[in-house]
Amino acid sequence: MSDDKTREIFVTGLRNAHAMENQALSIMKPQVKRIENYPEMAAMLQQHINETQGQIDRIEEILTSLAEDYSTLKDLALSLTGSLAALGHSVAGDEILKNSMANFAFENFEIAAYKSLITIAELGGYAGLVSPLQMSLDQEVAMAAWLEENLRPTTIKFANLKEAGQTAKV
């Protein structure tokens, strides 16, 4: 594979990752605003929102170092789909469970994206750009692990609230 093709793949992947992280924000921000009965979830989502902004900043720094820019069109398109997904879950009677499952799936998608970007960076001779990507990957792995560990307790709390006749709303 030529250096030009590898660079093209890398830049496209970075633009996609930038849009993906904006999509993540458009999913998490409405969720965290609606959470009432799950303070641990709200705190973790807020922490990850802050991390996600840092991930976006790192991607922008990498793109700038390559004399490239992110794709506003991709960002807008994925942000819109993220907002629609968040809205769709908000009408579900088990919104907190739907959000937990969707967030876990999305985190694993992000993990795969960063692993792929790191591989392309290494193949393309961009070893100096691996560290910020690895930092983002580590944050995604930590969030996915937290969501996985907390799916059972969140489900139990939801079921207990519902059984007690209390609002099980997020």
Side-chain angles (χ1 to χ4, degrees):
M1 187 178 310
S2 74
D3 289 342
D4 287 345
K5 290 293 181 190
T6 303
R7 185 182 194 287
E8 182 182 328
I9 293 167
F10 188 48
V11 169
T12 298
L14 290 166
R15 287 179 177 146
N16 290 341
H18 190 274
M20 169 187 74
E21 294 301 356
N22 277 291
Q23 181 181 24
L25 288 178
S26 71
I27 291 169
M28 291 185 292
K29 284 181 176 181
Q31 286 179 11
V32 79
K33 288 179 184 174
R34 293 180 47 77
I35 293 177
E36 294 177 3
N37 294 319
Y38 305 85
E40 307 85 12
M41 180 71 72
M44 193 56 148
L45 280 174
Q46 187 57 58
Q47 175 186 320
H48 199 57
I49 287 168
N50 296 338
E51 290 172 345
T52 301
Q53 188 56 59
Q55 293 165 5
I56 290 169
D57 293 343
R58 285 191 290 277
I59 292 167
E60 288 176 2
E61 289 170 12
I62 293 170
L63 283 166
T64 298
S65 77
L66 297 169
E68 298 286 349
D69 203 357
Y70 56 89
S71 170
T72 303
L73 183 60
K74 282 183 185 180
D75 285 0
L76 289 173
L78 288 183
S79 290
L80 178 62
T81 61
S83 294
L84 291 173
L87 180 63
H89 288 179
S90 70
V91 297
D94 59 349
E95 180 182 1
I96 192 71
L97 300 182
K98 296 243 184 322
N99 287 345
S100 295
M101 291 178 249
N103 290 347
F104 179 69
F106 198 83
E107 291 303 321
N108 280 282
F109 177 79
E110 290 175 303
I111 288 167
Y114 281 111
K115 285 182 177 184
S116 180
L117 274 173
I118 289 168
T119 301
I120 293 297
E122 292 167 345
L123 288 173
Y126 301 107
L129 301 177
V130 169
S131 179
L133 295 171
Q134 185 65 52
M135 183 183 297
S136 295
L137 173 60
D138 293 344
Q139 290 171 337
E140 301 300 0
V141 167
M143 185 63 176
W146 189 90
L147 287 163
E148 183 174 23
E149 291 166 12
N150 284 277
L151 182 58
R152 181 176 172 79
T154 300
T155 302
I156 290 169
K157 183 172 185 174
F158 174 81
N160 288 339
L161 286 170
K162 206 71 157 153
E163 185 67 32
Q166 298 176 18
T167 178
K169 184 180 181 220
V170 288

